[in-house]
Every structure is written in C-alpha cells, then in structure tokens.
C-alpha cells in the first residue's frame, strides 16, 4: 500500500452528502447576500445640556449696592490783596500790574478819589524820584494812568496863563496844545523806532516827567526875576530829562537811543523857554 492511500480516509455516503449541502449553502449565501437583516440598535439618549452664559459674571438676585454721590469740589478761598507790599512798601496794584479790583462801581466816590490819588502819588515816586525800579521800566510804570499826566498838563497851562499879563486864554491854549500834541508825537516816534512800550504808558510817562517843570513854573510865577527864572528852569529841565531818560533809552534799540531822546529834550526845552519868556 502506497503512502497516499494510507493518508486518505474514506467517508461515509451520509457525511459526503452533508458536506455537499454545506458547500451549496455557502455558495448561495455568497451569491444572493444574507437572508436576514439584524435589527437596528436603539438610539443613544441625548446627553443633558449645560446652560452657557455669554456674560463673564454670574447674575445675582441681590439688590445693587447704594451709589455714593460724587463730592462737589469747593472753590478755593480768594487770595488776600493787601494794600501795600511788605517787601517794597509799594501799593499792591503797582506791583501786580492788574490795577484796582473790578468791583468798584458801588463804592463811594470818596473811596474812588482816594484810590486814584494814591496811584498818582505812587507813579510819581516811581518816575520822578530815585528808586530801584527805575532800571526796569516795565515794573516802574506797569500800573499807568492818565489822570496824573492830565493834571500836570492842565496845571502847567494854568500857571503859564497866570504869569501872562495879556491874552491869558491864548497862552493856556498854546501851552495845552503844545504839551498834549508833543506827547503824542514823541510816543509815535518811539513806536516807529521799534520801541517796546505801550502807547498810553508812554503818554503817562511823559506827563509825569512834567512835574519838575510844573514846580519851576510855580516858582517863576512867585519870583519875577530873570536870573531866578534861568536857574530854576535849568534845574527843573535837567530833572525832567533825567526822569525820562531811563524809560525812553531802554524802550528802543541802543543804536537809535539818540533819535528817541532828542525830541523829548526838545519839547522840554520849549516848555522851559515858555516859562522864561512869558511875563
């Protein structure tokens, strides 16, 4: 007996038929697909949703806290305005440059007159008499006024008219026109030369510088002597020129100083000539 014959085991007829039937079932299932369909599994339950809020803070049922009212800032107390400066002894208005307080409409007339007189006296000291503020014209006549110059021009015109024996009104008119027009022309001359000065401040300065000539005219009225008149006029003329020199010289360029001072000296010389000539 060979080796193949020994390994092959003969099957029964019934077993062979079972094998054939299984093969036929497998072949039929491959060709026509499965004969049964499995039931679909039930859907899974929907998970519970968590509420999501767009606000970064969790709302609360508590009442809002009471709001505190914003405090209203109180105005600072007004600064004190003494009548005199403790360091220099000068009126506060002349040092600050802002003049008197604005609420002066309801004050008595006598208070207004006293305030104006004190200002005239203060400016007269700053312009005519020696003081440390003469080197700085901006501080010396910052609180300028026109009452003082007007008074000195009128007083000089009246003194010259009283000295004249005839045509007193014409003498007053000539003196007043000469002084007023001369002050305006001299101020325009300084401004045209590039001077750094206010128009009315210059008028005030030139008017205050007439104070020495007023004293000279009054002395000449009382002493009718030619030699006395010459001496008095020379002294008062030098005094007036000395008073006007620092203000006019510092207001313009040093190269144009002579062009600004010469017309001022010429006007004061003309006034001195009127004081001597009128008899």
């Amino acid at each position: 007996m060979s080796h193949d014959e020994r390994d092959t085991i003969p099957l029964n007829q019934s077993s062979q038929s079972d094998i054939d039937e299984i093969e036929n079932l497998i072949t039929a299932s491959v060709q026509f697909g499965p004969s049964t369909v499995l039931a679909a599994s039930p859907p899974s339950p929907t998970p519970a949703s968590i509420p999501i809020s767009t606000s970064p803070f969790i709302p609360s049922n508590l009442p809002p806290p009471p709001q505190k009212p914003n405090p209203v800032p109180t105005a600072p107390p007004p600064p004190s305005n003494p009548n005199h400066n403790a360091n220099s002894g000068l009126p506060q208005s002349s040092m600050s440059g802002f003049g008197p307080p604005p609420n002066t409409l309801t004050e008595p007339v006598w208070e207004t007159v006293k305030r104006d007189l004190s200002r005239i006296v203060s400016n007269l000291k700053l312009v005519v008499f020696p003081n440390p503020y003469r080197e700085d014209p901006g501080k010396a006549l910052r609180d300028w006024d026109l009452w003082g110059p007007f008074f000195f021009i009128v007083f000089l015109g009246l003194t010259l008219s009283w000295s004249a024996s005839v045509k007193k009104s014409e003498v007053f008119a000539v003196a007043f026109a000469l002084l007023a027009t001369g002050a305006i022309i001299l101020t325009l001359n300084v401004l045209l030369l590039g001077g750094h000065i206010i128009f009315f401040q210059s008028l005030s300065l030139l008017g205050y510088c007439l104070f020495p000539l007023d004293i000279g005219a009054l002395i000449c009225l009382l002493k009718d002597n030619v030699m006395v008149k010459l001496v008095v006029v020379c002294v008062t003329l030098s005094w007036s020129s000395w008073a006007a020199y620092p203000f006019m010289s510092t207001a313009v360029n040093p190269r144009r100083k002579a062009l600004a001072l010469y017309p001022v000296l010429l006007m004061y010389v003309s006034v001195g000539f009127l004081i001597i000539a009128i008899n």
Side-chain angles (χ1 to χ4, degrees):
M1 177 178 286
S2 63
H3 182 68
D4 295 333
E5 290 179 356
R6 285 182 298 175
D7 294 337
T8 303
I9 300 175
L11 299 175
N12 294 329
Q13 185 176 2
S14 60
S15 300
Q16 186 66 36
S17 61
D18 293 336
I19 291 173
D20 293 338
E21 185 177 358
I22 291 171
E23 291 180 352
N24 292 333
L25 291 174
I26 293 172
T27 303
S29 62
V30 171
Q31 293 179 355
F32 300 103
S35 59
T36 61
V37 178
L38 296 176
S41 60
S44 60
T46 304
S49 61
I50 300 175
I52 300 175
S53 175
T54 58
S55 175
F57 304 100
I58 300 175
S60 176
N61 295 328
L62 297 177
Q67 297 182 355
K68 298 181 178 179
N70 296 328
V72 179
T74 59
S80 60
N81 187 16
N83 292 330
H84 294 274
N85 194 316
N87 296 329
S88 61
L90 299 177
Q92 185 69 16
S93 59
S94 62
M95 297 300 297
S96 62
F98 294 99
N103 53 349
T104 58
L105 296 177
T106 58
E107 68 178 4
V109 178
W110 178 238
E111 294 295 331
T112 304
V113 173
K114 288 194 301 182
R115 187 182 67 252
D116 292 339
L117 289 177
S118 63
R119 184 190 303 176
I120 291 172
V121 173
S122 174
N123 289 336
L124 185 62
K125 292 179 180 178
L126 292 173
V127 174
V128 178
F129 298 99
N131 60 85
Y133 294 99
R134 285 179 55 83
E135 302 300 329
D136 190 355
K139 291 183 179 179
L141 205 61
R142 182 177 298 176
D143 191 19
W144 53 267
D145 69 288
L146 296 179
W147 284 114
F150 177 76
F151 172 77
F152 295 138
I153 290 176
V154 172
F155 182 81
L156 183 57
L158 290 175
T159 305
L160 293 176
S161 65
W162 292 336
S163 300
S165 57
V166 294
K167 298 182 179 179
K168 297 181 180 294
S169 60
E170 294 181 3
V171 173
F172 175 81
V174 170
F176 186 86
L178 174 65
L179 296 174
T181 307
I184 294 175
I185 293 175
L186 293 177
T187 301
L188 293 177
N189 178 56
V190 173
L191 294 177
L192 291 176
L193 291 175
H196 302 283
I197 193 170
I198 304 174
F199 180 81
F200 292 105
Q201 185 181 14
S202 178
L203 292 179
S204 178
L205 168 67
L206 294 173
Y208 277 108
C209 290
L210 291 175
F211 174 75
L213 292 173
D214 286 355
I215 297 178
L218 184 60
I219 295 174
C220 292
L221 175 63
L222 300 177
K223 296 292 184 179
D224 190 8
N225 191 334
V226 178
M227 293 304 298
V228 174
K229 287 185 177 181
L230 287 175
V231 174
V232 170
V233 168
C234 290
V235 173
T236 55
L237 179 61
S238 302
W239 189 3
S240 296
S241 302
W242 173 82
Y245 173 79
F247 302 99
M248 289 299 177
S249 60
T250 56
V252 298
N253 193 304
R255 298 178 181 178
R256 302 174 179 178
K257 185 185 300 185
L259 296 176
L261 293 175
Y262 173 73
V264 177
L265 180 62
L266 184 62
M267 187 186 74
Y268 291 156
V269 169
S270 301
V271 175
F273 177 77
L274 286 177
I275 294 173
I276 297 174
I278 293 177
N279 187 1

